[in-house]
Amino acid sequence: MDESASAARRRRTARSISQCAQRLAIEHGLDGFTMDDLAACADVSRRTLFNYVPSKVDAVLGVADGDPDPALLADFLSGGPTGHLMTDVKELLCVALAADDVDAAEVARIRRLIRSDPRLYGAVHERLVDVVSMFSGLIEQREGAVAPLTAQIVTRLTVSLLDVALDESLADGSLDLAQHFDRVFTGAADLLGGAPSVPARS
């Protein structure tokens, strides 16, 4: 089996596990089923299941995506796409947050479950923090020696905006998380008098 076929098979298996976990959680609650129940539902062995997800929470939320698109990442590291640090962070984050191959029914299930269980809400928050932490490293590569205060502002502001976007996404299912983040960011930028940026590099 070539690499692309193997990757496609893994995506199908991961999707099946996630969908089964969501259905079981809706029917029985997060504590109402076991990992063995989930393995049986997804028609995989217990060992295979744990190769994909370490817990029921991770199974419900799905396997986290990999690295950003190399072309978009290269553009960001070279100072693009706009030259304003926070705006460029927003653009890259919106791509990272956009749902990929997830249908409306699955999105609705995930929203319902996150609203119903604080553990799932907390896990989503931690995933967003992890994404921002990854971007902190990218910012350092792009900007060089960023002042500690600038790095702290970028990180905390981005996490705060993501939290607001998450709450908005749970309240309004007409837009996905990336679209809500774009709206929240724009609102914050308007309040602050425009998108913040760092001094131009020499």
Side-chain angles (χ1 to χ4, degrees):
M1 182 180 297
D2 61 35
E3 184 176 352
S4 60
S6 177
R9 180 178 59 81
R10 285 190 60 83
R11 285 194 298 270
R12 287 194 299 270
T13 300
R15 182 81 176 274
S16 174
I17 289 170
S18 180
Q19 290 175 337
C20 282
Q22 292 159 15
R23 288 196 296 268
L24 288 170
I26 287 174
E27 293 171 5
H28 308 290
L30 197 58
D31 295 321
F33 68 97
T34 67
M35 292 295 275
D36 286 332
D37 295 330
L38 177 55
C41 177
D43 195 24
V44 297
S45 69
R46 181 180 173 87
R47 179 177 180 179
T48 297
L49 177 62
F50 279 99
N51 282 337
Y52 281 85
V53 290
S55 70
K56 289 185 286 185
V57 167
D58 291 290
V60 167
L61 296 180
V63 178
D65 292 332
D67 296 330
D69 180 89
L72 295 174
L73 185 58
D75 186 33
F76 176 80
L77 291 175
S78 67
T82 71
H84 294 280
L85 178 59
M86 280 301 299
T87 301
D88 295 342
V89 168
K90 184 263 293 186
E91 293 294 328
L92 200 54
L93 271 172
C94 281
V95 174
L97 294 172
D100 182 21
D101 194 30
V102 179
D103 60 35
E106 185 170 353
V107 171
R109 286 198 301 269
I110 293 173
R111 282 196 175 102
R112 175 180 172 184
L113 288 164
I114 292 172
R115 286 196 299 263
S116 68
D117 196 309
R119 290 169 293 181
L120 292 170
Y121 184 96
V124 173
H125 170 80
E126 289 303 316
R127 286 190 176 196
L128 295 177
V129 170
D130 288 343
V131 170
V132 174
S133 297
M134 177 193 72
F135 275 85
S136 296
L138 296 176
I139 291 168
E140 185 175 347
Q141 292 182 54
R142 165 178 158 147
E143 302 294 334
V146 179
L149 179 60
T150 299
Q152 185 178 22
I153 290 172
V154 170
T155 300
R156 293 195 178 187
L157 179 58
T158 304
V159 169
S160 295
L161 295 178
L162 284 168
D163 278 339
V164 175
L166 176 58
D167 289 338
E168 290 292 304
S169 176
L170 294 177
D172 175 12
S174 65
L175 302 175
D176 64 26
L177 180 57
Q179 291 169 320
H180 277 294
F181 178 64
D182 185 62
R183 290 179 64 250
V184 169
F185 179 94
T186 299
D190 289 343
L191 287 172
L192 295 172
S197 62
V198 298
R201 290 167 289 174
S202 57

